[in-house]
Amino acid sequence: MAKLLPSKTKYRKVHKGRIRGNAKGCDTLAFGEFGIQSLERGKMTASQLEAARVAINRHLKRKGKMWLRVFPHKPVTKKPAETRQGKGKGSVEYWCAVVKPGTVLFEVGGTSQTLAREAMRLADGKLPFRCRFLSREELEQY
């Protein structure tokens, strides 16, 4: 399993930050006919992202194409267990993607709606927040 992480970063460690507001970009379908959109905010680790990606690809069985719309750019640090306070910030434990409400996480094209809906349902079970299914036809009606 290839772990998702940036090949090169300007800084090794970053501030924790806050996740406020709704998604500014990446909030509509851009590539496929169907997608999955987050309804809550949170951090999605690289392993959660990979698990959801594998769940979608296994269900599609090489029918259609899948696009990943988020990437884990943010390093999260952690100090070892039973360590005294002080002595600086801990080492990077994992990488995560910051997800705001309205962000499209995955897109699928070239498949039927029933197949895409089931694949997205399986992926939703792997994610740490609630999501909803999007289809291009339903978005064009409004």
Side-chain angles (χ1 to χ4, degrees):
M1 182 173 110
K3 203 161 211 185
L4 285 172
L5 61 120
S7 57
K8 190 177 170 186
T9 56
K10 190 170 183 181
Y11 299 108
R12 204 160 48 96
K13 300 170 184 176
V14 297
H15 290 288
K16 188 177 279 188
R18 278 190 253 174
I19 311 170
R20 297 196 301 192
N22 296 332
K24 283 196 292 189
C26 200
D27 56 349
T28 57
L29 293 175
F31 303 103
E33 288 92 57
F34 310 106
I36 187 170
Q37 184 181 42
S38 70
L39 296 174
E40 297 172 357
R41 69 192 78 244
K43 290 178 182 168
M44 182 161 64
T45 66
S47 54
Q48 288 168 342
L49 193 66
E50 180 69 12
R53 185 190 69 79
V54 167
I56 291 171
N57 282 337
R58 283 222 177 111
H59 189 75
L60 292 181
K61 295 180 186 162
R62 298 172 62 106
K63 295 181 186 86
K65 185 167 168 54
M66 191 210 56
W67 289 270
L68 197 96
R69 296 289 305 276
V70 291
F71 188 82
H73 286 293
K74 188 172 189 144
V76 177
T77 61
K78 190 168 187 268
K79 295 195 80 158
E82 299 178 12
T83 307
R84 290 193 178 190
Q85 291 295 304
K87 305 230 181 335
K89 196 170 182 178
S91 57
V92 174
E93 189 79 7
Y94 60 91
W95 292 81
C96 73
V98 174
V99 176
K100 294 181 176 183
T103 307
V104 175
L105 307 170
F106 296 96
E107 289 188 33
V108 173
T111 61
S112 66
Q113 181 164 352
T114 54
L115 193 69
R117 189 180 286 275
E118 181 61 20
M120 295 300 178
R121 188 191 66 77
L122 291 170
D124 187 16
K126 312 281 185 212
L127 302 177
F129 34 72
R130 291 185 306 118
C131 299
R132 73 174 183 156
F133 182 76
L134 292 177
S135 72
R136 201 174 284 279
E137 296 147 11
E138 290 172 13
L139 291 174
E140 287 171 358
Q141 288 176 355
Y142 298 113

